[in-house]
Amino acid sequence: MASCVARRALAVGSRWWSRSLTAARGSRPLCAAGGAGAFPPVATATSRRHLSSRNRPEGKVLETVGVFEVPKQNGKYETGQLFLHSVFGYRGVVLFPWQARLYDRDVASATPEKAENPAGHGSKEVKGKTHTYYQVLIDARDCPHISQRSQTEAVTFLANHDDSRALYAIPGLDYVSHEDILPYTSTDQVPIQHELFERFLLYDQTKAPPFVARETLRAWQEKNHPWLELSDVHRETTENIRVTVIPFYMGMREAQNSHVYWWRYCIRLENLDSDVVQLRERHWRIFSLSGTLETVRGRGVVGREPVLSKEQPAFQYSSHVSLQASSGHMWGTFRFERPDGSHFDVRIPPFSLESNKDEKTPPSGLHW
């Protein structure tokens, strides 16, 4: 009987945990709880914290779902690559890669900080570095178990009609950075349960990975490229809380004889320390090219006040903003609370809101 050394889930009280992955040296079985309602497989690289799942489902046993591969240090993963998300633990499959400009303020060049710019906030000189991200599908079996840590409807579109406020989401789509992918292989011809898996991918045992893009995936990518493309990623760490922001332009709509421009932004909060903290408030400042500066304060984010701990170190969500101008800037702070009741502010890296100048047609969502 094979021993799941690379990723063996062990019961400790009512919690499950995973042994760290030893850089995937050699092929080791990947195990998960079987049956309906099983929690997602959880794995970690040696440089990451151990992750925990939710309570073990009663009567569930471990079953092998695949074999780990050696993570790629160079190059990129191809369409059809199966993986585990190293932070959120879900099973997924790569649809296609994006080349993004990563503006990491933690490694900004050592030039002096600039004075306040016209948008009203101080700015370091930060040079973008090319980094690979992936458009992926999330296994629907894992969505209920990561919903408290990561929204599984992070990809949204404007509806194709006159109501400029109408948005719709595609469940189970995500953007994943190269270092968050733990690749594995499976003998299952449909290893990921998602309504788009078989519409987008075709099993071909002669290929590696054995799932190739159908014409429907290529057509969908080409048609929706302006609304899906990930171009800029912004990252900054304060008090061991790292904030990553990815903005997306969604399109323009006409409302009451004026143009309204829409953006989606995805935010990941990650606790790099072992101390437990809880997000309590958000404070945004939104500058529009039209000259307006809006301040937004509120409790939590998307109706939640997530706790970031050693066991559950990250939280990811998406939200939207609209301007009556074709560009603008956003920045701000998140206020966190420590167990002793003290508070501290975490900076949200400033990011620009830019529209696509060559916009011709509205996003078509799932139509191809």
Side-chain angles (χ1 to χ4, degrees):
M1 180 176 177
S3 174
C4 299
V5 178
R7 188 265 173 226
R8 174 186 290 174
L10 301 175
V12 182
S14 62
R15 306 291 292 177
W16 285 55
W17 65 285
S18 62
R19 291 182 179 176
S20 60
L21 211 68
T22 57
R25 295 177 182 174
S27 296
R28 303 288 180 85
L30 164 67
C31 299
F39 64 78
V42 181
T44 61
T46 53
S47 61
R48 293 186 179 275
R49 296 166 299 284
H50 287 89
L51 305 181
S52 297
S53 76
R54 290 183 173 276
N55 292 347
R56 174 187 178 182
E58 285 298 323
K60 302 305 177 185
V61 296
L62 294 181
E63 62 181 18
T64 300
V65 297
V67 176
F68 274 120
E69 298 179 314
V70 177
K72 289 187 177 182
Q73 301 301 316
N74 301 301
K76 65 179 186 293
Y77 296 104
E78 302 297 327
T79 294
Q81 176 65 60
L82 301 173
F83 70 94
L84 292 185
H85 195 295
S86 67
V87 175
F88 297 113
Y90 63 70
R91 287 163 284 187
V93 62
V94 170
L95 294 182
F96 43 81
W98 295 114
Q99 290 300 308
R101 294 185 300 273
L102 173 61
Y103 296 91
D104 193 341
R105 300 172 74 82
D106 299 331
V107 294
S109 59
T111 56
E113 290 198 15
K114 294 182 178 180
E116 293 283 315
N117 62 24
H121 59 281
S123 176
K124 295 178 181 178
E125 184 69 27
V126 183
K127 293 184 178 180
K129 181 180 180 180
T130 302
H131 195 72
T132 303
Y133 280 73
Y134 301 94
Q135 193 91 59
V136 307
L137 288 181
I138 303 173
D139 195 309
R141 292 168 294 185
D142 298 340
C143 288
H145 307 287
I146 65 171
S147 61
Q148 294 301 314
R149 293 176 286 155
S150 177
Q151 288 183 337
T152 58
E153 296 186 349
V155 178
T156 52
F157 291 88
L158 291 177
N160 292 320
H161 51 72
D162 294 335
D163 184 356
S164 64
R165 296 187 177 184
L167 300 172
Y168 65 90
I170 304 177
L173 274 178
D174 199 4
Y175 294 85
V176 180
S177 66
H178 184 84
E179 65 269 19
D180 283 341
I181 284 185
L182 299 175
Y184 74 92
T185 59
S186 173
T187 57
D188 191 344
Q189 294 189 20
V190 187
I192 302 298
Q193 292 188 12
H194 191 289
E195 62 179 344
L196 296 179
F197 183 85
E198 292 183 272
R199 298 178 72 175
F200 280 170
L201 298 169
L202 175 68
Y203 180 76
D204 184 345
Q205 63 180 354
T206 66
K207 303 292 185 180
F211 304 99
V212 297
R214 292 181 182 269
E215 183 58 36
T216 49
L217 175 58
R218 288 189 285 265
W220 185 76
Q221 179 187 8
E222 180 180 357
K223 183 172 290 187
N224 293 285
H225 182 277
W227 328 106
L228 288 172
E229 182 176 11
L230 178 157
S231 58
D232 293 345
V233 179
H234 304 265
R235 190 160 67 192
E236 184 170 5
T237 302
T238 309
E239 299 276 353
N240 288 315
I241 304 297
R242 184 164 60 197
V243 180
T244 304
V245 183
I246 309 176
F248 300 86
Y249 177 60
M250 297 177 64
M252 181 270 293
R253 292 290 183 270
E254 294 186 9
Q256 298 178 347
N257 299 321
S258 66
H259 291 168
V260 178
Y261 298 82
W262 284 83
W263 288 266
R264 175 178 78 252
Y265 55 92
C266 295
I267 292 186
R268 179 162 126 183
L269 305 168
E270 188 169 6
N271 186 357
L272 305 180
D273 203 351
S274 59
D275 296 336
V276 177
V277 296
Q278 184 169 12
L279 189 153
R280 291 301 192 186
E281 299 177 5
R282 68 189 185 278
H283 178 200
W284 282 106
R285 304 194 78 185
I286 307 168
F287 175 78
S288 170
L289 187 63
S290 62
T292 61
L293 179 61
E294 182 181 3
T295 297
V296 178
R297 289 183 180 270
R299 296 286 296 182
V301 290
V302 292
R304 302 182 190 177
E305 296 180 22
V307 174
L308 304 183
S309 64
K310 183 177 180 180
E311 292 73 29
Q312 305 285 358
F315 179 79
Q316 181 173 292
Y317 76 98
S318 65
S319 191
H320 306 85
V321 63
S322 63
L323 300 176
Q324 290 186 325
S326 59
S327 65
H329 286 81
M330 289 181 66
W331 69 100
T333 56
F334 291 121
R335 174 154 292 188
F336 280 84
E337 182 178 355
R338 301 183 180 93
D340 63 6
S342 62
H343 295 83
F344 63 98
D345 289 335
V346 171
R347 290 185 296 275
I348 304 171
F351 57 95
S352 61
L353 302 171
E354 301 293 341
S355 60
N356 295 344
K357 302 303 181 182
D358 58 348
E359 176 182 346
K360 294 180 180 180
T361 58
S364 56
L366 291 176
H367 302 289
W368 37 67

